[in-house]
Amino acid sequence: MRLPMGLSKLPMFKLPALKVLAVLVLAVAMSACSMFKAKHDTIDNMPVDALYNNAHASMENADYSAASKAYQRLIARFPSGEYNEQAQLDLAYSQYKDNQPDDALSTVNRFIKTYPTNKHVDYAYYLRGLINFDRTSGVIERFIGRGGSEARRDQGYNLQAFDDFSELSRRFPDSAYTADARQRMIYLRNVLAQFEINVAEFYLRNKAYIAAADRSQYVIEHYQQAPQTGDALAILTRSYLALDQKTLADQSRQVLALNYPNHPYLSDAKWPHAPSTLRKLVPFSGHH
Protein backbone atom coordinates (compact mmCIF):
# COMPACT_ATOMS: atom_id res chain seq x y z
CA MET A 1 0.00 0.00 0.00
CA ARG A 2 1.39 3.40 -0.94
CA LEU A 3 0.91 6.38 1.43
CA PRO A 4 0.13 9.95 0.28
CA MET A 5 3.22 12.12 -0.17
CA GLY A 6 4.45 13.79 3.06
CA LEU A 7 3.26 11.04 5.37
CA SER A 8 5.63 8.47 6.78
CA LYS A 9 4.81 5.07 8.13
CA LEU A 10 4.24 5.06 11.96
CA PRO A 11 6.36 2.59 13.96
CA MET A 12 4.49 -0.41 15.35
CA PHE A 13 5.30 -1.29 19.05
CA LYS A 14 5.22 -4.90 19.99
CA LEU A 15 2.96 -5.87 22.91
CA PRO A 16 5.78 -7.21 25.17
CA ALA A 17 7.58 -3.88 24.95
CA LEU A 18 4.45 -2.06 26.14
CA LYS A 19 4.20 -4.39 29.11
CA VAL A 20 7.82 -3.74 30.11
CA LEU A 21 7.25 -0.01 29.90
CA ALA A 22 4.15 -0.24 32.08
CA VAL A 23 6.00 -2.29 34.71
CA LEU A 24 8.85 0.23 34.79
CA VAL A 25 6.43 3.13 35.25
CA LEU A 26 4.65 1.29 38.06
CA ALA A 27 7.94 0.42 39.78
CA VAL A 28 9.11 4.03 39.67
CA ALA A 29 5.79 5.21 41.08
CA MET A 30 5.89 2.68 43.93
CA SER A 31 9.50 3.62 44.72
CA ALA A 32 8.57 7.28 44.86
CA CYS A 33 5.68 6.54 47.22
CA SER A 34 7.93 4.45 49.42
CA MET A 35 10.55 7.19 49.61
CA PHE A 36 7.90 9.77 50.41
CA LYS A 37 6.44 7.57 53.14
CA ALA A 38 9.88 6.83 54.66
CA LYS A 39 10.63 10.52 54.71
CA HIS A 40 7.49 11.40 56.63
CA ASP A 41 6.76 8.23 58.64
CA THR A 42 8.18 9.41 62.00
CA ILE A 43 7.31 8.86 65.65
CA ASP A 44 5.02 11.88 65.33
CA ASN A 45 2.69 10.22 62.83
CA MET A 46 3.30 6.46 63.02
CA PRO A 47 0.30 4.31 63.96
CA VAL A 48 0.43 3.02 67.50
CA ASP A 49 1.60 -0.51 66.65
CA ALA A 50 4.41 0.72 64.40
CA LEU A 51 5.49 3.28 66.98
CA TYR A 52 5.60 0.65 69.70
CA ASN A 53 7.62 -1.69 67.47
CA ASN A 54 10.01 1.17 66.72
CA ALA A 55 10.55 1.84 70.43
CA HIS A 56 10.87 -1.84 71.25
CA ALA A 57 13.46 -2.34 68.49
CA SER A 58 15.54 0.52 69.91
CA MET A 59 15.36 -1.04 73.36
CA GLU A 60 16.37 -4.45 72.01
CA ASN A 61 19.36 -2.81 70.33
CA ALA A 62 20.35 -1.17 73.64
CA ASP A 63 19.64 2.32 72.27
CA TYR A 64 17.82 3.24 75.46
CA SER A 65 17.79 6.95 74.81
CA ALA A 66 15.98 6.50 71.49
CA ALA A 67 13.66 3.94 73.06
CA SER A 68 12.72 6.32 75.87
CA LYS A 69 11.98 9.08 73.38
CA ALA A 70 9.75 6.83 71.28
CA TYR A 71 7.90 5.42 74.32
CA GLN A 72 7.29 8.93 75.64
CA ARG A 73 5.90 9.99 72.27
CA LEU A 74 3.60 6.97 72.18
CA ILE A 75 2.30 7.71 75.67
CA ALA A 76 1.64 11.33 74.70
CA ARG A 77 -0.08 10.51 71.41
CA PHE A 78 -2.06 7.50 72.62
CA PRO A 79 -3.00 8.24 76.26
CA SER A 80 -4.98 5.04 76.77
CA GLY A 81 -5.04 1.44 75.69
CA GLU A 82 -2.90 -1.66 76.01
CA TYR A 83 0.02 -0.18 74.10
CA ASN A 84 0.08 2.80 76.45
CA GLU A 85 0.27 0.61 79.56
CA GLN A 86 3.06 -1.55 78.18
CA ALA A 87 4.90 1.51 76.89
CA GLN A 88 4.95 3.02 80.40
CA LEU A 89 6.50 -0.13 81.83
CA ASP A 90 9.03 -0.36 79.00
CA LEU A 91 9.82 3.34 79.39
CA ALA A 92 10.71 2.80 83.05
CA TYR A 93 13.08 -0.02 82.07
CA SER A 94 14.69 2.06 79.29
CA GLN A 95 15.24 4.97 81.67
CA TYR A 96 16.71 2.60 84.24
CA LYS A 97 19.14 1.15 81.68
CA ASP A 98 19.94 4.65 80.43
CA ASN A 99 21.14 5.54 83.95
CA GLN A 100 18.22 7.86 84.64
CA PRO A 101 17.12 6.44 88.01
CA ASP A 102 15.02 9.42 89.12
CA ASP A 103 13.00 9.39 85.89
CA ALA A 104 12.73 5.60 85.97
CA LEU A 105 11.49 5.62 89.56
CA SER A 106 8.93 8.31 88.79
CA THR A 107 7.66 6.35 85.78
CA VAL A 108 7.38 3.01 87.57
CA ASN A 109 5.68 4.55 90.61
CA ARG A 110 3.15 6.22 88.34
CA PHE A 111 2.53 2.89 86.62
CA ILE A 112 1.95 1.08 89.93
CA LYS A 113 -0.44 3.79 91.11
CA THR A 114 -2.36 4.00 87.82
CA TYR A 115 -2.52 0.31 86.92
CA PRO A 116 -2.52 -1.67 90.21
CA THR A 117 -4.25 -4.63 88.55
CA ASN A 118 -2.13 -4.80 85.41
CA LYS A 119 -0.96 -8.35 84.71
CA HIS A 120 2.65 -7.17 84.79
CA VAL A 121 2.46 -5.06 87.94
CA ASP A 122 4.60 -7.61 89.79
CA TYR A 123 7.41 -6.78 87.39
CA ALA A 124 6.89 -3.09 88.16
CA TYR A 125 7.51 -3.75 91.87
CA TYR A 126 10.58 -5.80 90.97
CA LEU A 127 11.90 -3.07 88.66
CA ARG A 128 11.42 -0.47 91.40
CA GLY A 129 13.57 -2.61 93.66
CA LEU A 130 16.25 -2.93 90.98
CA ILE A 131 16.35 0.83 90.45
CA ASN A 132 16.99 1.48 94.14
CA PHE A 133 19.29 -1.55 94.40
CA ASP A 134 21.64 -0.04 91.82
CA ARG A 135 21.47 3.56 93.02
CA THR A 136 24.15 3.02 95.69
CA SER A 137 26.75 1.77 93.17
CA GLY A 138 29.46 4.29 92.38
CA VAL A 139 31.29 4.57 89.08
CA ILE A 140 34.07 2.20 90.12
CA GLU A 141 31.69 -0.48 91.39
CA ARG A 142 29.91 -0.50 88.05
CA PHE A 143 33.14 -1.70 86.46
CA ILE A 144 34.57 -3.96 89.17
CA GLY A 145 31.32 -5.21 90.71
CA ARG A 146 29.78 -4.67 94.08
CA GLY A 147 32.01 -4.96 97.11
CA GLY A 148 32.45 -4.10 100.74
CA SER A 149 32.48 -0.40 99.93
CA GLU A 150 28.70 -0.44 99.87
CA ALA A 151 28.66 -1.07 103.59
CA ARG A 152 30.30 2.35 104.00
CA ARG A 153 27.88 4.34 101.85
CA ASP A 154 24.61 5.91 102.90
CA GLN A 155 22.17 3.04 103.30
CA GLY A 156 18.95 4.87 102.38
CA TYR A 157 18.63 3.33 98.92
CA ASN A 158 19.57 -0.13 100.19
CA LEU A 159 16.85 0.13 102.82
CA GLN A 160 14.35 1.26 100.18
CA ALA A 161 15.37 -1.55 97.82
CA PHE A 162 14.95 -4.06 100.65
CA ASP A 163 11.44 -2.71 101.30
CA ASP A 164 10.61 -2.84 97.57
CA PHE A 165 11.65 -6.47 97.23
CA SER A 166 9.90 -7.29 100.49
CA GLU A 167 6.65 -5.80 99.18
CA LEU A 168 6.96 -7.79 95.96
CA SER A 169 7.48 -11.00 97.96
CA ARG A 170 4.51 -10.23 100.18
CA ARG A 171 2.10 -9.21 97.42
CA PHE A 172 3.19 -11.71 94.78
CA PRO A 173 4.76 -14.75 96.47
CA ASP A 174 4.34 -16.83 93.30
CA SER A 175 5.75 -14.24 90.88
CA ALA A 176 8.56 -15.27 88.55
CA TYR A 177 10.60 -12.39 90.02
CA THR A 178 10.12 -13.22 93.70
CA ALA A 179 12.92 -15.79 94.00
CA ASP A 180 15.50 -13.32 92.70
CA ALA A 181 14.05 -10.57 94.90
CA ARG A 182 14.49 -12.74 97.99
CA GLN A 183 18.11 -13.45 97.11
CA ARG A 184 18.72 -9.73 96.77
CA MET A 185 17.06 -9.18 100.13
CA ILE A 186 19.55 -11.57 101.73
CA TYR A 187 22.40 -9.67 100.12
CA LEU A 188 20.98 -6.33 101.24
CA ARG A 189 20.41 -7.63 104.78
CA ASN A 190 24.09 -8.56 105.01
CA VAL A 191 25.20 -5.19 103.59
CA LEU A 192 23.03 -3.34 106.09
CA ALA A 193 24.33 -5.50 108.94
CA GLN A 194 27.93 -4.89 107.90
CA PHE A 195 27.29 -1.15 107.85
CA GLU A 196 26.17 -1.31 111.48
CA ILE A 197 29.21 -3.41 112.40
CA ASN A 198 31.54 -0.89 110.75
CA VAL A 199 29.99 1.88 112.83
CA ALA A 200 30.11 -0.24 115.99
CA GLU A 201 33.83 -0.95 115.42
CA PHE A 202 34.47 2.76 114.97
CA TYR A 203 32.77 3.55 118.27
CA LEU A 204 34.65 0.74 120.00
CA ARG A 205 38.03 2.01 118.79
CA ASN A 206 37.12 5.50 119.99
CA LYS A 207 35.97 4.20 123.40
CA ALA A 208 32.35 5.20 122.83
CA TYR A 209 31.25 1.94 124.40
CA ILE A 210 27.58 2.72 124.93
CA ALA A 211 27.21 3.67 121.26
CA ALA A 212 29.13 0.54 120.21
CA ALA A 213 26.86 -1.61 122.35
CA ASP A 214 23.73 0.03 120.92
CA ARG A 215 24.84 -0.60 117.32
CA SER A 216 25.74 -4.21 118.11
CA GLN A 217 22.41 -4.79 119.82
CA TYR A 218 20.63 -3.38 116.77
CA VAL A 219 22.33 -5.96 114.53
CA ILE A 220 21.41 -8.78 116.90
CA GLU A 221 17.76 -7.71 117.01
CA HIS A 222 17.21 -6.82 113.34
CA TYR A 223 19.61 -9.03 111.37
CA GLN A 224 19.60 -12.28 113.34
CA GLN A 225 20.36 -14.49 110.35
CA ALA A 226 23.14 -12.29 108.98
CA PRO A 227 26.70 -13.63 109.33
CA GLN A 228 27.64 -10.36 111.05
CA THR A 229 25.63 -11.33 114.14
CA GLY A 230 28.69 -13.06 115.56
CA ASP A 231 30.72 -9.87 115.19
CA ALA A 232 27.93 -7.96 116.90
CA LEU A 233 28.01 -10.32 119.90
CA ALA A 234 31.78 -9.98 120.16
CA ILE A 235 31.68 -6.18 120.06
CA LEU A 236 28.81 -6.20 122.54
CA THR A 237 30.86 -8.36 124.92
CA ARG A 238 33.87 -6.04 124.69
CA SER A 239 31.64 -3.00 125.22
CA TYR A 240 30.06 -4.50 128.33
CA LEU A 241 33.49 -5.36 129.73
CA ALA A 242 34.68 -1.80 129.14
CA LEU A 243 31.53 -0.52 130.87
CA ASP A 244 32.20 -2.87 133.81
CA GLN A 245 29.02 -4.85 133.10
CA LYS A 246 30.58 -8.27 133.70
CA THR A 247 27.32 -10.20 134.01
CA LEU A 248 26.03 -8.89 130.68
CA ALA A 249 29.44 -9.49 129.12
CA ASP A 250 29.45 -13.12 130.27
CA GLN A 251 25.96 -13.65 128.90
CA SER A 252 26.76 -12.25 125.47
CA ARG A 253 30.02 -14.22 125.33
CA GLN A 254 28.16 -17.44 126.13
CA VAL A 255 25.68 -16.77 123.34
CA LEU A 256 28.61 -16.10 120.99
CA ALA A 257 30.36 -19.33 121.95
CA LEU A 258 27.14 -21.32 121.54
CA ASN A 259 26.25 -19.99 118.10
CA TYR A 260 29.67 -19.07 116.66
CA PRO A 261 32.21 -21.40 118.34
CA ASN A 262 34.93 -20.50 115.82
CA HIS A 263 34.63 -16.73 116.10
CA PRO A 264 38.10 -15.10 116.43
CA TYR A 265 37.10 -13.14 119.54
CA LEU A 266 36.85 -16.36 121.53
CA SER A 267 40.60 -16.90 121.11
CA ASP A 268 41.65 -13.27 120.84
CA ALA A 269 40.16 -10.92 123.45
CA LYS A 270 41.43 -7.86 121.55
CA TRP A 271 39.40 -8.60 118.41
CA PRO A 272 38.62 -6.55 116.36
CA HIS A 273 42.07 -5.03 116.02
CA ALA A 274 42.61 -1.47 114.90
CA PRO A 275 43.50 -1.33 111.18
CA SER A 276 47.10 -0.77 110.22
CA THR A 277 48.19 2.51 108.71
CA LEU A 278 48.87 0.73 105.42
CA ARG A 279 45.35 -0.70 105.32
CA LYS A 280 43.88 2.73 105.87
CA LEU A 281 45.51 3.81 102.62
CA VAL A 282 43.78 1.08 100.60
CA PRO A 283 40.70 2.38 98.76
CA PHE A 284 37.38 0.84 99.84
CA SER A 285 39.02 -1.00 102.76
CA GLY A 286 36.39 0.42 105.09
CA HIS A 287 38.72 2.33 107.40
CA HIS A 288 38.67 5.91 106.15
Side-chain angles (χ1 to χ4, degrees):
M1 177 179 178
R2 298 185 64 182
L3 296 174
M5 187 176 295
L7 295 179
S8 59
K9 190 174 182 180
L10 294 173
M12 298 297 292
F13 291 103
K14 295 182 179 180
L15 186 59
L18 289 174
K19 287 185 176 180
V20 171
L21 181 61
V23 170
L24 288 174
V25 171
L26 182 61
V28 171
M30 292 179 65
S31 177
C33 290
S34 177
M35 291 176 62
F36 181 81
K37 182 179 180 182
K39 182 177 180 180
H40 295 279
D41 199 9
T42 68
I43 62 175
D44 291 322
N45 56 26
M46 284 182 181
V48 62
D49 55 342
L51 181 52
Y52 178 82
N53 290 337
N54 176 286
H56 187 72
S58 295
M59 186 171 66
E60 289 291 307
N61 292 323
D63 189 352
Y64 300 114
S65 179
S68 296
K69 182 178 179 181
Y71 284 129
Q72 287 171 329
R73 195 71 190 102
L74 186 153
I75 293 166
R77 289 182 55 209
F78 306 97
S80 63
E82 184 177 354
Y83 280 104
N84 178 286
E85 293 185 28
Q86 187 61 45
Q88 290 192 43
L89 200 54
D90 290 346
L91 172 61
Y93 177 80
S94 295
Q95 291 169 329
Y96 159 64
K97 296 295 289 184
D98 197 34
N99 194 29
Q100 303 294 329
D102 290 333
D103 292 338
L105 198 61
S106 176
T107 301
V108 78
N109 281 334
R110 183 167 58 250
F111 179 89
I112 291 172
K113 182 178 180 180
T114 307
Y115 307 108
T117 60
N118 183 278
K119 61 182 179 180
H120 299 305
V121 74
D122 60 330
Y123 174 74
Y125 281 100
Y126 176 68
L127 180 58
R128 184 168 69 177
L130 286 181
I131 294 167
N132 284 314
F133 184 81
D134 286 343
R135 280 164 78 95
T136 53
S137 294
V139 174
I140 294 178
E141 287 97 321
R142 290 173 188 169
F143 287 95
I144 65 175
R146 287 174 167 255
S149 59
E150 289 193 55
R152 294 176 297 283
R153 294 179 178 273
D154 177 75
Q155 298 302 298
Y157 291 131
N158 279 336
L159 285 166
Q160 185 59 57
F162 187 93
D163 289 343
D164 293 334
F165 291 134
S166 178
E167 186 170 8
L168 168 65
S169 300
R170 179 174 56 83
R171 287 176 176 268
F172 307 97
D174 299 323
S175 169
Y177 308 104
T178 298
D180 182 74
R182 286 172 176 162
Q183 289 298 312
R184 293 176 186 271
M185 288 173 66
I186 293 172
Y187 171 83
L188 289 168
R189 178 204 65 193
N190 295 345
V191 168
L192 292 166
Q194 187 59 53
F195 173 80
E196 298 297 332
I197 291 298
N198 289 347
V199 176
E201 286 187 20
F202 172 81
Y203 286 139
L204 186 65
R205 289 195 300 271
N206 289 276
K207 301 181 180 181
Y209 301 118
I210 294 178
D214 286 343
R215 289 284 181 158
S216 300
Q217 191 65 43
Y218 183 87
V219 173
I220 295 167
E221 292 176 355
H222 292 85
Y223 306 114
Q224 293 182 6
Q225 297 180 337
Q228 290 81 4
T229 304
D231 295 347
L233 286 165
I235 296 173
L236 185 61
T237 302
R238 281 197 57 181
S239 299
Y240 282 150
L241 287 172
L243 293 168
D244 199 26
Q245 298 290 326
K246 294 182 180 180
T247 301
L248 293 175
D250 288 340
Q251 291 174 353
S252 59
R253 192 182 192 284
Q254 289 174 10
V255 175
L256 174 64
L258 180 64
N259 292 277
Y260 301 92
N262 298 318
H263 194 278
Y265 174 73
L266 297 175
S267 58
D268 181 2
K270 293 184 178 180
W271 185 96
H273 296 278
S276 66
T277 303
L278 179 60
R279 189 178 179 188
K280 290 181 179 180
L281 298 176
V282 178
F284 308 116
S285 66
H287 301 287
H288 296 276

